[in-house]
Amino acid sequence: MSEQTKFVGEGEFYRLGEAIADDKAPDGDVETRWERRKFASKLVNPSNRRKHKVIVVGTGLAGGAAGASLAEQGYHVVQFCFQDSPRRAHSIAAQGGINAAKNYRNDGDSIYRLFYDTVKGGDFRGRESNIYRLAENSVKIIDQCVAQGVPFAREYSGLLDTRSFGGVQVQRTFYARGQTGQQLLIGAYQALSKQIDAGNVEMHARHEMLDLIIIDGRARGIVARNLVTGELSTHLGDAVVLATGGYGNVFFLSTNAKGSNTSAIWRAHRRGAYFGNPCYTQIHPTCIPRSGDHQSKLTLMSESLRNDGRIWVPKEMGDTRSPDQIPEDERDYYLERIYPAFGNLVPRDIASRAAKNVCDEGRGVGPGGQGVYLDFADAIARMGEATVREKYGNLFDMYARITSENPYKQPMRIYPAVHYTMGGLWVDYDLQTTIPGLFAAGEANFSDHGANRLGASALMQGLSDGYFVLPTVLNNYIGSNKFAPVPTDAPEVTEVETLVKDRIEKLLSIQGDRTVDSFHRELGQIMWDYCGMARNDAGLRKAISEIRHLRDEFWKRVKVPGTGAELNQSLEKANRVADFIELGELMCIDALMREESCGGHFREESQTAEGEAERQDDKFSFVAAWEYGGEGRFGTVSGDPVLHQEELIFDYVHPAQRSYA
């Protein structure tokens, strides 16, 4: 660690551990680090790969691509998803596009510019090595997906079309109308299906990972539950890959699928995998506002809509006129006014805070004043309704079905909502966690986006990790180690199996007076109120206290009907909510420790005179890697979490106050 950086000391809610560093990325030019790392990596003979088993949990873009690619190499892959089909993974919900530095528009784009935009967009809280590799792999992803038949939008000439996304001034986002994630996932799914048919992938749908098995300090297997029959099964292998997505549902209301959860990565965290930057959550500015307390989730409207839609609110507080009755000179196109260089395409964290600010001023629209307008009147006048329908039709149809409003005739109403989590398991350059043999890919790890993810970069990271990174680093790990067979009755295996059974029996035995959902809603409200778009010292301390009380209440009063030997969705949710409660506490501790504003983490005590996020680079230019505080059973934690700090070094894109004006 450099002497110039003053890292934080011990805090009220955590202990301080040793510094941590990524020792896998080579030194020297960032442009050649990945090539040099690949060349230095050990190889495994094709005939020997068949002797090794790799467990992959998750079948979204990262998991599906990893499973297909590893099986194509010759490994025997055992893969799991809790959905009824791999193609129902939440990646299918991604709408707007995927970034790649192809420069088809000849508008000045390059691998280096994508690298620069991503470092800056993440508010200088990401690793340069990982981010450059992501930008480098982006160009290969498009070629891979086109070869698979992904139907990207094309111009009249037949060339692939691109559009803009937030935080950049070039058009590098490839798309398939408003369903890019679905089309990319179908591409990965067909590659995975080929390997399932060939017998190289053993697919376990409707199975959920409940714990990780560690033998001699290395990850060697998992315990999973069949969600239809309730049967527990143990699966052993030579390496484990977690590609299970993010933890946005800790807020209860989010744009994530209802089944999306943190349990796989949280159980790995309890086993010794460090958790990186848990407080970095992304609030997406373009979502349909909540309509009441009855809702169980929120709906994303793609960021791509900000290409042609204009965002505004009335200039005067309390103006309740319908939008068509508000003259142009009485409208405030506030993003265009505050950030003229980027306008409506500022990064998500900035657009979300700006929307919150105008609503807090009393200028919000719709029920409760919790909304702003996204208006396509100018775009329809300029391009014609047919062209707008061609570009965004499925998104407009979705909005109309949910709101019973016609967005071609009146502005959409949007408001920020939880969408993505930049935190996740800490990994090194090889995507390996602090547990040897345990790898984390896609949104399950923390590595590529810093404190704020730019739009259209999640799909890019998932496919980069799955198609291009994991096949190399898994080869290196397996080629560098020897793997003795693990007996199914090994003490380490039976201990984990017993703990999983005991936890299920405990949840079923409480028979309290509160539903699982009531606890989840309460947790979500605490998180949104005190660890949402704006955070402060007093609020975070209150949240930690309330979450600890909620955790105690959960293990005394939750009611889980039914048994463990059947389809029992209450039991599934209880397992997940118990993990969310523990994670929520760590998120608040992390947010309390980080006394600065950066990206999606906005501390009210650390802002500029203009109300923008103000980083404290002299104190917080590091990754917070949290070690579990100690093994506790059924809602008890035996010690405070331990903070390990990885210094961030910027040799190429030097930290500066972000400006999009």
Side-chain angles (χ1 to χ4, degrees), residues 162-178:
T162 54
R163 57 190 178 196
S164 296
F165 256 60
V168 303
Q169 292 179 306
V170 295
Q171 290 183 269
R172 66 163 66 105
T173 304
F174 295 77
Y175 65 99
R177 284 188 91 193

Side-chain angles (χ1 to χ4, degrees), residues 516-532:
V516 177
D517 273 356
S518 74
F519 283 102
H520 198 178
R521 283 184 184 273
E522 185 175 344
L523 172 66
Q525 195 64 55
I526 294 169
M527 296 299 296
W528 181 252
D529 287 346
Y530 304 117
C531 198

Side-chain angles (χ1 to χ4, degrees), residues 43-103:
L43 302 177
V44 179
N45 185 290
S47 62
N48 287 335
R49 294 175 199 157
R50 294 190 292 271
K51 303 174 185 176
H52 293 280
K53 183 183 293 185
V54 178
I55 294 170
V56 179
V57 185
T59 59
L61 289 180
S69 300
L70 293 168
E72 189 78 44
Q73 284 188 324
Y75 292 107
H76 182 67
V77 175
V78 184
Q79 195 144 5
F80 300 84
C81 67
F82 64 75
Q83 298 90 349
D84 57 1
S85 165
R87 63 168 292 181
R88 291 178 67 88
H90 185 58
S91 297
I92 205 167
Q95 298 170 351
I98 178 171
N99 289 329
K102 286 286 198 180
N103 195 31

Side-chain angles (χ1 to χ4, degrees), residues 121-123 125 247 251 277-283 348-350 352-353 420 422-423 449-453 530-537 540 586-607 611-616 620 622 624 658:
D123 217 352
R125 290 294 176 262
Y247 48 89
F251 290 88
N277 298 333
C279 78
Y280 288 167
T281 53
Q282 180 163 90
I283 314 294
R348 291 174 176 177
D349 59 320
I350 291 175
S352 292
R353 281 197 295 273
Y420 187 89
M422 285 73 68
H449 306 294
N452 174 65
R453 178 177 66 77
Y530 304 117
C531 198
M533 274 194 283
R535 303 150 181 194
N536 59 56
D537 184 279
L540 290 166
L586 182 63
M587 290 171 65
C588 292
I589 292 172
D590 187 41
L592 182 64
M593 174 276 299
R594 191 170 286 276
E595 296 175 343
E596 66 161 353
S597 294
C598 57
H601 169 63
F602 189 77
R603 283 290 295 265
E604 294 175 346
E605 303 93 335
S606 183
Q607 53 184 303
E612 301 288 359
E614 186 170 50
R615 298 192 319 274
Q616 308 288 337
F620 296 101
F622 65 85
R658 283 192 306 169

